[in-house]
Amino acid sequence: MELLKRSFFGGKAAKIQFFAIIIAIVVLFFVPNFGSAYLPLFLAWVITYAVMSLAWTLFSGKTGYVSLASAAFYGTGMYVQAALGSNLPIVVSMIIAAAASFGVAFGIGLVTLRLRGVYFTIFTFGLSLFLNKFIHWYEVKFFHTKGHMVLAYDNLTVYYCVLVVFAIFLLVVIPMNKSRFGLALDCIGQNEDSAQHVGVNTTMTKVLAFAVSAAPVGAVGAAMATTIGYVDPDIAFKLLASFMPVLMAIFGGTHSVYGPIVGAIVFYSLQDYLLRELPGAYMIIFGCVMVAVILLMPKGIFGVIDTIIARRKRGFDGEVIGDV
Amino acid sequence: MAMLEVSNINVSYGNVQALWDVSIHVEEGKIVALLGANGAGKTTLLNTMTGMLKPTSGEVTFKGERIDNLPSDKIIEKGIAYLPEGGRLFPEMTIKENLEMGAYPSTLWKNRKPDLERIYGMFPILDERRSQLSRTMSGGERQMLAMGRALMSNPTMCFFDELSYGLSPKMAQEVFKIVKQLHSEGITVLLVEQNVYQTLEIADYAYVIENGRIVKEGEGHAMLEDDYIKQAYLGV
């Protein structure tokens, strides 16, 4: 309780942030009434990527363990929807999808989070590939077909579904960042041995964070599956779903919750525009933007903004660029 | 009965055995030193006593309770604080956050506010700089912060690993003064050091560890006079 109070009402900045989030969500709730028929779907994708990017930041941004498992959790959600969507209301199947992704991440985390550095990254990358091939094999063997139909929902319903996931996730992540748990994750990222010295159960903390970050990804995966109407392993576990959240988070900056959101908005809009206008050149332009971002603003858009604010405060002279 | 009792522990990293049948005991209210060169096994012994490593045989007891099978946070809650070599701070976190992490174990976390004030009282320099990132501090200040973080848990016993390492002679003296002050307040201290002379001056008792074995032990001042110590560690 005290934590919630401090996170949302402790100090002016926290209050402004809280009301800004509430207003943004209310606005997002009504926006589809004023746009084209395509708008809800477009926004649903933006929010989906925002959720995935935020989820990636929650775990990898804090702990420094670069995960490429987003596609695995997203695809798990899609397949849960394919399996259960015809018989259950979408809200229920989304909750089950979230739980399934949580479970997959928890299990995988227990096995792999003793790995450090690049080995963890490679494993998570392999996980998406493995699930792709495994489900392919399973479908062909037992259903003699590749892919499944998914009961379709109208775009507006899907949009509200992902919006609710986004809102809940945001209202969980912000207090979590300020909590003892969030602090422990920061510590793991900065000095894992030291975190252990002060009594952090590093393995459990990492596994739990990994699983928590997977749950909303599963939920949005389930929702978005209904807009496609059909899933097969290549759609559900497409590798781009692992890479895009990482790029978006790096582009926006991983030191605040806004970075990944802004990254998702800019990147998805850019992708959407380029795919329509310059389908042939879209990947090339995309790649160039990414290279430029990493070279020019390694801490992302919000890193640049932070630096500017810090300079203003210190009057340009006092910036301490740290040694360690 | 000693406050801390390590009985015949053996510790291995995979196939490599690092500690061989090590026994030490630390009486309540004393300063005990653990001396030895790099790679002798000092830090391994500390890591075993703080729950980071499990011994393959032997046991560690603190106030009569076995602690070698407990996780680190439970050992901290029992009253043992550990200041690892080089302080091991969290560079991108503020001084306040670094200190708060000293009270991470769940029973301590609830009471961290009064503890924070107590530490600020002890080290006014930390109070002034609460919201500064720890990486922007000087070596001596960082060592103060590391001590402050260790003391956040209200320990009855402190392990200090290489407190003086990398500090200027003046700063090192400052740090030893704090150790003496803690001792006078009733905290039992285990000092692990390469700075043999200064350590033996303030230690009540000392152990010398070489190649994973305790090779010598005795009263602090007696050790200063010991021929072997003089030759091997003091260079006289």
Side-chain angles (χ1 to χ4, degrees), chain A residues 6-60:
Chain A
R6 192 157 49 88
S7 305
F8 293 123
F9 304 106
K12 206 169 144 200
K15 272 182 208 158
I16 292 174
Q17 172 180 282
F18 181 68
F19 288 112
I21 290 170
I22 297 294
I23 291 168
I25 288 171
V26 170
V27 169
L28 281 171
F29 200 80
F30 290 108
V31 156
N33 298 333
F34 302 100
S36 67
Y38 176 60
L39 189 64
L41 185 62
F42 172 78
L43 288 177
W45 277 111
V46 170
I47 291 173
T48 296
Y49 276 114
V51 167
M52 291 172 80
S53 174
L54 202 56
W56 185 85
T57 310
L58 166 68
F59 177 74
S60 297

Side-chain angles (χ1 to χ4, degrees), chain A residues 147-164:
Chain A
H148 272 77
M149 301 308 258
V150 184
L151 186 67
Y153 280 85
D154 64 295
N155 293 342
L156 204 58
T157 309
V158 173
Y159 169 72
Y160 285 129
C161 285
V162 294
L163 182 59
V164 167

Side-chain angles (χ1 to χ4, degrees), chain A:
Chain A
M1 238 14 240
E2 187 239 335
L3 176 68
L4 287 179
K5 232 179 180 174
R6 192 157 49 88
S7 305
F8 293 123
F9 304 106
K12 206 169 144 200
K15 272 182 208 158
I16 292 174
Q17 172 180 282
F18 181 68
F19 288 112
I21 290 170
I22 297 294
I23 291 168
I25 288 171
V26 170
V27 169
L28 281 171
F29 200 80
F30 290 108
V31 156
N33 298 333
F34 302 100
S36 67
Y38 176 60
L39 189 64
L41 185 62
F42 172 78
L43 288 177
W45 277 111
V46 170
I47 291 173
T48 296
Y49 276 114
V51 167
M52 291 172 80
S53 174
L54 202 56
W56 185 85
T57 310
L58 166 68
F59 177 74
S60 297
K62 277 184 170 296
T63 63
Y65 282 76
V66 175
S67 158
L68 290 175
S70 304
F73 307 141
Y74 183 72
T76 301
M78 281 194 150
Y79 259 92
V80 167
Q81 185 64 29
L84 305 174
S86 330
N87 305 318
L88 291 173
I90 186 164
V91 176
V92 177
S93 55
M94 277 170 72
I95 292 171
I96 295 172
S101 291
F102 183 95
V104 169
F106 197 86
I108 296 301
L110 276 182
V111 186
T112 59
L113 276 167
R114 287 166 212 274
L115 300 174
R116 288 199 185 183
V118 74
Y119 300 103
F120 175 75
T121 308
I122 292 169
F123 188 93
T124 54
F125 181 65
L127 175 67
S128 309
L129 290 175
F130 167 76
L131 284 176
N132 179 337
K133 296 305 170 202
F134 176 76
I135 289 185
H136 188 135
W137 169 82
Y138 185 85
E139 280 184 331
V140 171
K141 176 135 177 117
F142 294 101
F143 298 95
H144 306 292
T145 138
K146 184 186 177 191
H148 272 77
M149 301 308 258
V150 184
L151 186 67
Y153 280 85
D154 64 295
N155 293 342
L156 204 58
T157 309
V158 173
Y159 169 72
Y160 285 129
C161 285
V162 294
L163 182 59
V164 167
V165 174
F166 178 63
I168 294 174
F169 191 37
L170 204 54
L171 294 179
V172 169
V173 166
I174 291 171
M176 206 180 104
N177 280 341
K178 300 213 170 192
S179 71
R180 176 167 170 263
F181 184 65
L183 213 53
L185 287 174
D186 281 330
C187 289
I188 290 171
Q190 289 174 39
N191 192 334
E192 189 160 349
D193 291 332
S194 205
Q196 236 169 330
H197 280 305
V198 296
V200 177
N201 182 340
T202 50
T203 305
M204 261 338 271
T205 306
K206 284 184 290 185
V207 171
L208 205 58
F210 194 50
V212 167
S213 78
V217 177
V220 293
M224 295 316 284
T226 66
T227 65
I228 305 168
Y230 165 83
V231 292
D232 68 29
D234 292 328
I235 294 175
F237 300 100
K238 62 176 180 207
L239 294 178
L240 218 51
S242 279
F243 289 110
M244 288 299 277
V246 184
L247 300 184
M248 288 166 172
I250 292 172
F251 176 76
T254 57
H255 292 277
S256 72
V257 293
Y258 312 112
I261 297 172
V262 170
I265 295 170
V266 173
F267 257 55
Y268 187 75
S269 309
L270 185 67
Q271 185 192 9
D272 190 63
Y273 174 80
L274 289 176
L275 265 179
R276 268 185 287 120
E277 305 296 326
L278 300 161
Y282 127 82
M283 265 300 170
I284 298 173
I285 299 174
F286 224 57
C288 293
V289 171
M290 205 55 227
V291 170
V293 167
I294 291 175
L295 282 179
L296 300 177
M297 16 186 229
K299 283 190 175 174
I301 293 178
F302 275 84
V304 173
I305 294 173
D306 277 350
T307 314
I308 293 169
I309 292 173
R311 278 211 192 126
R312 281 260 169 82
K313 270 192 186 157
R314 295 186 186 122
F316 287 96
D317 55 285
E319 204 194 358
V320 190
I321 296 170
D323 58 311
V324 169

Side-chain angles (χ1 to χ4, degrees), chain A residues 196-197 199-200, chain B residues 43-55 60 67-76 80 82 159:
Chain A
Q196 236 169 330
H197 280 305
V200 177
Chain B
T43 303
T44 303
L45 179 54
L46 285 183
N47 282 340
T48 312
M49 293 189 292
T50 51
M52 311 269 295
L53 290 170
K54 302 288 168 217
V60 183
I67 58 167
D68 52 89
N69 44 14
L70 293 179
S72 304
D73 57 328
K74 294 284 173 265
I75 294 176
I76 297 169
I80 294 181
Y82 177 21
F159 299 161

